[in-house]
Amino acid sequence: GTLPAMTTAAIDPELLQRGGLALDVNGPRATITLARPEALNAQTPLTWEALRSIGESLPAGVRVVVVRGAGRAFSAGLDRRFFTATEVDGQPGISGIAALPDEEADATIAAFQSGFSWLRDPTMVTVAAVQGHAIGAGFQLALACDLRLVADDVQFCMAETGLGIVPDLGGTYPLVHAVGYARAVEICLSGRRVGAEEAVASGLALRAVPVAELDAAVDALVASLLTAPPKAAVATLGLLAGVAEGADPAAALAAERAAQLRRLRSLAAGEG
């Protein structure tokens, strides 16, 4: 059944605000909104810290997480101040990271990545609802989610390589898995825009809808994802994630057998 609305007291509201995020948890659904529409939802390291905090603090009953952007864009990427300043709001800019010792620089970037990587946790399904621009860090945030539902005005762009840097927020793995190596090479090195039709045709997006229908389409998708019994859904997600991460056919078969036996014994015991 539907769970009662959960409190999110464990998440620091000031961190969410400073990171430019809003969070709504309603039973089995959590919705994370990039909430700086006046800046096209540009991201900062505080955004990634707030994302990581959300991942660590979501109630156990959450089964689907939606990531969306307020206004006309999903996210225009990293706040441009970080490309020019050594430090912004107490956070290191790109040149500031370059000046750190190796271990500290590596740990800094690893902390950034952890704001994205939890979205691949196979105990829940994550959905990016993407309209307008999804550039650089915005593209990588959408890629961090299991599914991408897009508006027909979407413009994906991996801008990093053209700026002399690389995608480092976890975007390379899911991009290659979604569209294949050759198309990923071309998208990253050319820095071109990928629209809705190509996104759907290439496997980057699940489907595209008119901008005005995006929220309703996301609601319908979430409802459909919640129809499966929770324990069976998590077990199936685990199997699919294992295949996506490179399990060979024999390992996938063995994982299916083991998962099915756990399910059958759980059902026989009346545990659901």
Side-chain angles (χ1 to χ4, degrees), residues 37-245:
E38 71 287 351
L40 298 182
N41 299 319
Q43 300 175 40
T44 72
L46 285 170
T47 309
W48 308 332
E49 187 180 335
L51 280 169
R52 184 174 74 249
S53 174
I54 291 171
E56 292 169 349
S57 310
L58 280 176
V62 170
R63 295 178 56 197
V64 179
V65 177
V66 174
V67 182
R68 61 183 293 276
R72 61 190 177 91
F74 179 72
S75 174
L78 181 64
D79 189 309
R80 291 196 171 276
R81 295 174 298 164
F82 286 87
F83 289 101
T84 53
T86 307
E87 185 178 285
V88 182
D89 302 334
Q91 302 286 324
I94 285 175
S95 61
I97 294 172
L100 295 172
D102 285 359
E103 283 188 19
E104 196 175 335
D106 184 78
T108 298
I109 298 172
F112 296 164
Q113 291 172 332
S114 66
F116 291 62
S117 57
W118 69 268
L119 289 160
R120 286 283 178 172
D121 180 340
T123 63
M124 62 185 86
V125 184
T126 53
V127 179
V130 190
Q131 82 283 10
H133 288 129
I135 296 172
F139 192 4
Q140 293 189 76
L141 180 57
L143 283 164
C145 295
D146 297 309
L147 309 175
R148 283 157 292 285
L149 196 61
V150 301
D152 55 13
D153 69 343
V154 74
Q155 295 283 300
F156 288 114
C157 172
M158 199 67 85
E160 284 83 350
T161 309
L163 295 168
I165 56 176
V166 300
D168 68 340
L169 296 169
T172 57
Y173 185 93
L175 180 62
V176 170
H177 275 258
V179 304
Y181 172 74
R183 194 179 293 255
V185 168
E186 191 251 348
I187 287 170
C188 290
L189 270 61
S190 71
R192 69 174 176 83
R193 306 292 172 92
V194 177
E197 187 177 345
E198 181 185 354
V200 174
S202 67
L204 187 56
L206 191 64
R207 65 181 69 98
V209 298
V211 179
E213 297 173 20
L214 183 60
D215 287 346
V218 169
D219 291 346
L221 175 60
V222 169
S224 74
L225 295 170
L226 289 170
T227 57
K231 290 181 180 179
V234 169
T236 303
L237 274 174
L239 291 173
L240 297 173
V243 173
E245 289 162 13

